[in-house]
Amino acid sequence: MSAEFGGRSGRQGKLSQWLRGRRPKEAVGDDGREALLLAAAEAGLPLAPAAYPAAGYGCSCDRVGCPTPARHPVSFAWQTQSTTDRAQIERWARHQPQANFITATGMVHDVLDVPREAGQEAMERLLASGIEVGPVAESDDGRLLFFTLTRGTPEDEDEWWPCELDCHPETMDEHPGLRWHCRGSYVLVPPARLPGDHGHTVHWLRGPEHPLPDPLSLLEVLTDACARYVGEDSGHVTGAAWPLRH
């Protein structure tokens, strides 16, 4: 992986530590941030600038009462703006040093977004079974993000197979269990900062150097874990069933 920290020895080692989820504090500076963004882009994740935390739980955007502070793109054209171009990402990262970044799903990859406890249980089961898990990010607000190959966009739009678990930015609260971010959605990509006074972040547990798996290879274990988690938490099971392509 060609992303560098400005030095070829010790600082590249810090990148490896980040990608293993160790997150040394000294890697949070500008160099570490840019290297991680470039590593994600080199893995094929299309990126675009996003808002960042301001004034405690506020948002850098000028929207009064922003419903998703520090979690949304800065441009309404984020789907067409998203790119893996190294030069463009470097310009964004250097000209917007506080910005978070989102990655647009449904182009190259999807994201299966689950409660942290359910995700940790599922990841242990998957790894113990020898199943390729792929990149996994942790959001300190209590979610795990499993990055997978996308279901794709068929040539004939009528062949698109909708899924009751599909998650779009405006439907986040409707999916307390498993959320499937595909075409038309996005997630924050590490490293990202979350609002609040606790220093919460979105960071890699398993970095983008891991190949993207087929989502269906993870889905059964994830939905089982989510069904138990949501059932125990509220007495209501969400995402226990999922459709297949016919």
Side-chain angles (χ1 to χ4, degrees), residues 167-191:
C167 187
H168 303 278
E170 65 273 14
T171 64
M172 292 286 284
D173 293 338
E174 299 173 13
H175 300 271
L178 188 148
R179 308 164 179 167
W180 191 328
H181 297 270
C182 55
R183 186 175 58 174
S185 191
Y186 57 80
V187 298
L188 288 175
V189 66

Side-chain angles (χ1 to χ4, degrees), residues 97-157:
Q98 298 186 75
N100 286 335
F101 279 75
I102 60 96
T103 178
T105 53
M107 297 179 182
V108 173
H109 70 293
D110 290 351
V111 170
L112 301 175
D113 170 356
V114 301
R116 178 164 49 203
E117 292 83 354
Q120 289 171 338
E121 174 192 324
M123 185 161 61
E124 290 176 2
R125 289 175 58 192
L126 289 163
L127 292 173
S129 300
I131 297 173
E132 177 57 56
V133 174
V136 180
E138 179 180 20
S139 178
D140 284 336
D141 63 352
R143 308 288 298 188
L144 287 192
L145 309 176
F146 289 76
F147 287 68
T148 72
L149 293 170
T150 186
R151 288 178 290 172
T153 303
E155 293 182 6
D156 182 351
E157 287 293 313

Side-chain angles (χ1 to χ4, degrees), residues 1 5 9 22 28 30 80-81 112 122 138 154 157 201 207 215 217 246:
M1 195 168 293
F5 274 96
S9 55
R22 297 181 180 177
V28 181
D30 291 342
T80 56
Q81 184 187 53
L112 301 175
E138 179 180 20
E157 287 293 313
T201 65
S217 69
H246 296 292

Side-chain angles (χ1 to χ4, degrees), residues 16-24 138 203-207:
S16 298
Q17 290 179 335
W18 263 86
L19 297 178
R20 289 195 299 269
R22 297 181 180 177
R23 297 179 293 135
E138 179 180 20
H203 49 271
W204 291 117
L205 293 180
R206 290 169 54 87

